[in-house]
Amino acid sequence: MEEIVKLMEEIVADRGVPRNVKSKVSEAKEALLNEEQELNVRVATAISILDEVSIDPNLPVYARTKIWNLVSKLEELRKS
């Protein structure tokens, strides 16, 4: 979980990533860290948000790859 949050923070801090994408990644991070919900719900919400943002045409290729990497890690977390 720490690694996932760190990757999200890296994307948000990246100057090459559009603001709308940064806000969605921040939203996914908040959803993931919301301990009022079960882990599976939090992970599913974060995956949904990141899937939506990964199709943004203004997203640089390297950032899209990072987001896909995040989604993969979240899916692994959901399975464990």
Side-chain angles (χ1 to χ4, degrees):
M1 179 82 98
E2 275 181 39
E3 181 183 358
I4 294 168
V5 171
K6 184 179 177 191
L7 285 171
M8 289 177 163
E9 289 170 351
E10 285 177 16
I11 292 170
V12 170
D14 189 329
R15 291 177 172 237
V17 176
R19 260 183 286 166
N20 64 323
V21 173
K22 289 180 181 185
S23 79
K24 286 292 190 180
V25 172
S26 292
E27 183 182 329
K29 178 182 159 191
E30 288 173 21
L32 189 60
L33 296 176
N34 179 4
E35 294 189 5
E36 294 177 5
Q37 296 179 326
E38 292 182 30
L39 181 60
N40 283 340
V41 173
R42 294 183 290 172
V43 170
T45 302
I47 288 172
S48 175
I49 293 167
L50 293 172
D51 273 341
E52 178 185 324
V53 81
S54 72
I55 60 172
D56 187 315
N58 297 320
L59 188 62
V61 175
Y62 73 91
R64 182 173 284 116
T65 303
K66 284 184 176 183
I67 289 175
W68 288 340
N69 186 25
L70 273 173
V71 170
S72 294
K73 290 182 182 304
L74 285 166
E75 287 173 349
E76 289 174 21
L77 183 63
R78 182 167 53 177
K79 290 177 186 175
S80 60

